[in-house]
Amino acid sequence: MKTPIPDLPAHLITPEPVYRARRQLMQLGLASPLLALAGCAGAQDASAPAPTAAASGASGAAPASEELTRFEDATSYNNFYEFGTGKTDPARYAGSLEPAPWSVVVGGEAEVTGTFPLEDLLRITAVQDRTYRLRCVEGWSMVIPWQGLPLGEVLQRFKPNSRAKYVAFTTLADPRQMPGLRYPSIDWPYREGLRMDEAMHPLTLLATGMYGKPLPNQNGAPLRLVVPWKYGFKSIKSIIRIDFTETMPPTSWNMLQPEEYGFYSNVNPDVDHPRWSQRSERRIAGTASKLFAERIPTLPFNGYGEQVAGLYAGMDLRKWY
Ligand code: MTE
């Protein structure tokens, strides 16, 4: 069944320099207090307490560590195993991905299900700008200006029923377009999931672009998730399927190494990865000569605790990692 979709502009494209100029406004939280960057300790003084959102917003000056990652770095140092496990493989091999035409199957516990051309999905609500930190479980992080739709607003259109407790996402798995599928590094297709309230949270973004351009293939064209308070692997790329489910859906990294990667995977400096500490991270802050900045402390929920910690009230986050 096809949803009647209101006639709204499908895509807003803003040139990259506009993002740089707009950055200060966004950090002041003028777009919305929810969307403001929450501040982070400066790279020069890793032991200093992190400033609060209000403090960094009030001064208007972002700490050096909150510089945007350079577009060149965000598009050449990637994880997208469908194109190989090396960091430079996605940029090298993702040219074979065909992001158009694209459609998404929506299924499971909802009133409205079916196959929807991407253009119809994008018409559901207006594209927004969101600058978010993304912290990889491996210990590096980026700050990226994304464009996309609030996932919750999109999901609402499909009228999930009362049995819908989780949302499962699936990536395209086409060996013709994705040379990495030859290797069983992951049990393909790549799968991810969120609890319903996480999926509906206003921070959760269904991204269609970055730096004012359509998503590059290596970053998950034409449609990916960005869940800024969770480790980067939850931000599944090149989505072709969204299912509302009653039970917790299987997720790729949890299937592969359940002791290392839980379903929730909230950024948590207090819970070490079994093979390394998660206390600090290196920002891909990018100068021409140096990809990684100095170590900075990792913040609970990646600095978005004020907005999302309530989702986990009463849960033991060591158990539900
Ligand atoms: N999605 C798919 N389909 N395949 C992947 O290998 N890697 C994840 C996530 N989404 C991955 C994926 C990991 S481990 C990270 S850290 C982020 O994408 C990286 O996003 P970026 O390359 O845009 O920085």
Side-chain angles (χ1 to χ4, degrees):
M1 199 213 306
K2 209 163 170 260
T3 36
I5 289 173
D7 201 19
L8 288 171
H11 209 170
L12 302 174
I13 296 294
T14 313
E16 185 183 349
V18 178
Y19 285 98
R20 301 206 167 261
R22 205 187 273 165
R23 192 171 146 264
Q24 193 173 10
L25 282 182
M26 299 193 63
Q27 288 181 337
L28 280 167
L30 293 185
S32 149
L34 260 182
L35 312 182
L37 286 172
C40 194
Q44 290 78 8
D45 184 4
S47 62
T52 63
S56 61
S59 73
S65 56
E66 295 288 326
E67 278 300 319
L68 290 186
T69 297
R70 297 187 314 164
F71 179 79
E72 308 89 275
D73 296 330
T75 56
S76 61
Y77 189 92
N78 299 104
N79 279 334
F80 199 169
Y81 279 27
E82 287 85 338
F83 297 98
T85 53
K87 295 286 180 268
T88 54
D89 288 342
R92 198 174 302 161
Y93 301 117
S96 49
L97 178 69
E98 295 159 14
W102 195 269
S103 54
V104 178
V105 174
V106 179
E109 301 291 350
E111 240 175 75
V112 182
T113 56
T115 302
F116 301 87
L118 182 62
E119 300 71 44
D120 289 355
L121 270 190
L122 297 186
R123 271 196 285 270
I124 286 176
T125 184
V127 171
Q128 300 185 6
D129 292 321
R130 303 280 182 91
T131 295
Y132 284 155
R133 303 187 199 99
L134 196 62
R135 163 60 157 90
C136 181
V137 75
E138 296 163 345
W140 47 268
S141 59
M142 303 198 193
V143 181
I144 295 182
W146 302 99
Q147 290 74 52
L149 318 176
L151 176 68
E153 289 182 27
V154 175
L155 296 184
Q156 209 82 74
R157 292 291 276 123
F158 298 96
K159 303 194 167 91
N161 64 37
S162 60
R163 286 183 301 277
K165 302 283 191 308
Y166 296 88
V167 189
F169 303 87
T170 310
T171 294
L172 174 74
D174 178 359
R176 195 179 54 79
Q177 298 180 58
M178 299 171 139
L181 296 188
R182 267 182 276 148
Y183 308 101
S185 49
I186 279 173
D187 181 6
W188 310 111
Y190 194 100
R191 277 161 271 197
E192 258 311 332
L194 295 172
R195 208 172 58 189
M196 200 64 182
D197 57 347
E198 300 177 319
M200 301 307 283
H201 193 279
L203 283 182
T204 307
L205 194 71
L206 202 48
T208 54
M210 55 194 274
Y211 300 83
K213 310 174 207 287
L215 276 181
N217 288 356
Q218 61 268 37
N219 294 89
L223 194 68
R224 70 172 288 173
L225 213 57
V226 185
V227 194
W229 71 94
K230 293 179 178 283
Y231 290 116
F233 64 84
K234 298 293 287 185
S235 292
I236 182 173
K237 297 177 169 180
S238 304
I239 297 166
I240 57 156
R241 223 194 135 96
I242 299 176
D243 287 286
F244 296 97
T245 66
E246 192 164 12
T247 54
M248 189 181 274
T251 58
S252 289
W253 285 98
N254 179 252
M255 287 158 70
L256 202 62
Q257 313 240 30
E259 312 76 34
E260 300 194 357
Y261 308 108
F263 176 83
Y264 286 95
S265 296
N266 293 315
V267 173
N268 190 344
D270 296 334
V271 176
D272 289 344
H273 184 281
R275 289 182 280 137
W276 58 81
S277 160
Q278 294 291 28
R279 289 234 161 261
S280 66
E281 67 201 59
R282 299 185 72 187
R283 189 62 53 81
I284 299 190
T287 60
S289 60
K290 202 166 162 222
L291 184 62
F292 294 106
E294 301 306 313
R295 286 202 165 274
I296 51 174
T298 287
L299 299 175
F301 299 107
N302 203 23
Y304 300 95
E306 216 172 287
Q307 294 98 316
V308 301
L311 298 177
Y312 309 100
M315 278 174 74
D316 178 353
L317 297 180
R318 289 185 175 275
K319 183 171 171 211
W320 301 106
Y321 55 94

